[in-house]
Structure formats: C-alpha cells, structure tokens
Amino acid sequence: MSDCLFCEIVAGDIPATKVHETGTTFAFRDINPQAKVHVLVVPKTHHEDAAELAAADPRLLADVIAAGAAVAKAEGMDGSGFRFVLNTGEDAGRTVFHAHLHVLGGEPLGTFGRPTG
Ligand code: AMP
Ligand code: ZN
C-alpha cells in the first residue's frame, strides 16, 4: 500500500535492519528499542491491525507468530523468555497502521499495562 511505512520497508524503499524473513513475513529491529532486543515482525501484505489480519487471513497471522518465535530463538531468548505485543488503537499508543508484532526481551522486562509514574 502506498504511504505505509512498513509496506515501504518490506519493499526495500526505506532501510531497516532485517533480522528474519520468510515467504510471507519480514522482521527488522525497532528504530526506538524498548528493550535490549526489540524486533518488529510484519506480514508482507498490508493489513490494518492484528484483529483485521486474523479475520482476513488467520494463516498469515500464524506465520507472523511463528516468525516471532523464530526471531526469539535466533536472538537467544527462547530459554530466558520474551514478550509478544500487538498494539491496537489509541489507548495502546499505536502509531503505525500496518499490523506488526513486537518481540521484546534480552533482559528482564518491566511490568506493562497502566502508565508508570
Ligand atoms: P506501534 O506503537 O505498536 O504502532 O509501534 C510502531 C513501532 O514502529 C514503534 O515501536 C516505532 O519505534 C517503530 N518504528 C517507527 N518507524 C520505524 C522505522 N523506520 N524502522 C523501524 N521501526 C520503526
Ligand atoms: Zn502496509
């Protein structure tokens, strides 16, 4: 889709640090990491968010989750643990409207939910 940041990254039109790729998914390092390891996994085709993706193409959502697990293993986090995050909508602070899975870890993670402070 034109004017979609993550479609442009998948197409190679905007640079990103690729960490994993399958026929249907692309994974790259988050530009503003929230943990020692912070990777984004996206479907190569454009879907608005995880719920829309689940309704439109559940196998592709499963591909995204499996790719996230492969990233966690490749980053050495399968033993120590990691976190998958799928933000949806304003309250979650969503900023990019192409479905993406955050894979976070590489160190003990903080609590999540209500804002801190
Ligand atoms: P969300 O808030 O769930 O929509 O997450 C969007 C994520 O995309 C944020 O964690 C951003 O840091 C990340 N991001 C934005 N632009 C880029 C980029 N050019 N390359 C890598 N990650 C990006
Ligand atoms: Zn897109």
Side-chain angles (χ1 to χ4, degrees), residues 6-7 9-12 16-29 39-45 63-64 66-68 70-71 74-75:
F6 288 172
C7 280
I9 285 177
V10 169
T17 306
K18 176 177 128 177
V19 297
H20 189 264
E21 185 171 10
T22 68
T24 57
T25 69
F26 190 79
F28 52 97
R29 296 203 188 279
V39 172
L40 301 174
V41 183
V42 303
K44 286 183 173 175
T45 52
D63 287 352
V64 169
V71 166
E75 297 286 323

Side-chain angles (χ1 to χ4, degrees), residues 5-6 28-32 40 87 93-96 100 102:
L5 175 64
F6 288 172
F28 52 97
R29 296 203 188 279
D30 195 291
I31 205 168
N32 183 25
L40 301 174
N87 288 324
R94 182 98 187 283
T95 57
V96 180
H100 52 279
H102 296 257

Side-chain angles (χ1 to χ4, degrees), residues 4-105:
C4 170
L5 175 64
F6 288 172
C7 280
E8 291 183 275
I9 285 177
V10 169
D13 295 336
I14 290 179
T17 306
K18 176 177 128 177
V19 297
H20 189 264
E21 185 171 10
T22 68
T24 57
T25 69
F26 190 79
F28 52 97
R29 296 203 188 279
D30 195 291
I31 205 168
N32 183 25
Q34 301 300 308
K36 197 177 271 181
V37 176
H38 187 173
V39 172
L40 301 174
V41 183
V42 303
K44 286 183 173 175
T45 52
H46 183 88
H47 292 274
E48 183 82 3
D49 60 33
E52 189 264 299
L53 173 58
D57 193 342
R59 276 181 50 182
L60 182 53
L61 178 59
D63 287 352
V64 169
I65 300 291
V71 166
K73 189 168 187 185
E75 297 286 323
M77 307 189 298
D78 49 333
S80 52
F82 54 90
R83 183 173 292 156
F84 285 163
V85 173
L86 291 159
N87 288 324
T88 303
E90 197 177 329
D91 278 355
R94 182 98 187 283
T95 57
V96 180
F97 296 89
H98 177 131
H100 52 279
L101 175 71
H102 296 257
V103 183
L104 298 147

